[in-house]
Amino acid sequence: TAITVTQAGLVGIGVTPSSAKLHVLTTDRTSGLKLEETDAGAASGPLLTLHRNSASPADDDTLGKISFEGENDAGAAVSYAYIETQATDVSSGSQDGDLIFGTVGGASGAERMRIDSAGKLALNENLVEKTIWCGGYGGGILMKRSDATADRYAKLGILDASGGFVS
């Protein structure tokens, strides 16, 4: 089957569609989905837009999600990881959004990392109340964690024979 369009408006490429609006089936990795941009401008490139068109947008709406799926050993389809965006504030002029990464562990999916609209990073928690910062510092990496009570620092690096950090 090259292209199938059902009376319900479902489209299948390489497959008869069952429930998705568009279903593309490939038999090898060389023939997936390709978006190509031919504009010679350096600032141009292919653009993929996931647009949620809601008559009543609200704070914390999920705007889009990319799910990475495969089968388990029982043949059931499983989402093993995802990337999601959330509109945390939809107020005109002060819109905010978060980028969320999730994975499956022990057959249960959960958020593992979030970058909020201020650039704060949260690992293994969905509330971004702390700031985690990493940067180069005198031959090592300095990490800073800020919360409401204090800034805390940790430095990772190479120690010299006397126990000091090598610059």
Side-chain angles (χ1 to χ4, degrees):
T1 305
I3 297 177
T4 302
V5 181
T6 68
Q7 289 188 356
L10 305 178
V11 177
I13 301 175
V15 65
T16 301
S18 58
S19 61
K21 291 287 186 187
L22 174 63
H23 185 167
V24 179
L25 176 67
T26 62
T27 57
D28 60 45
R29 199 169 176 172
T30 62
S31 59
L33 179 63
K34 180 178 181 177
L35 301 175
E36 185 172 349
E37 168 66 56
T38 59
D39 187 340
S44 296
L47 173 66
L48 175 63
T49 300
L50 304 178
H51 179 94
R52 181 170 187 209
N53 189 350
S54 172
S56 55
D59 291 352
D60 299 324
D61 277 355
T62 296
L63 300 180
K65 187 173 190 175
I66 300 171
S67 179
F68 300 89
E69 296 183 354
E71 283 74 37
N72 63 17
D73 61 4
V78 175
S79 176
Y80 286 92
Y82 65 87
I83 303 170
E84 179 179 308
T85 58
Q86 187 177 62
T88 55
D89 183 354
V90 297
S91 304
S92 181
S94 64
Q95 301 90 327
D96 293 322
D98 291 3
L99 182 61
I100 301 164
F101 297 84
T103 61
V104 169
S108 179
E111 178 178 321
R112 306 297 183 193
M113 183 174 78
R114 177 183 292 238
I115 304 169
D116 79 355
S117 61
K120 294 179 184 175
L121 173 67
L123 301 173
N124 294 318
E125 58 181 84
N126 61 5
L127 298 175
V128 186
E129 297 171 353
K130 301 166 188 71
T131 300
I132 299 172
W133 174 87
C134 295
Y137 182 76
I141 299 172
L142 180 67
M143 294 184 293
K144 174 184 172 185
R145 177 181 170 241
S146 301
D147 56 33
T149 58
D151 290 342
R152 294 177 178 85
Y153 296 90
K155 183 176 179 184
L156 304 174
I158 300 171
L159 298 178
D160 61 19
S162 64
F165 282 99
V166 175
S167 315

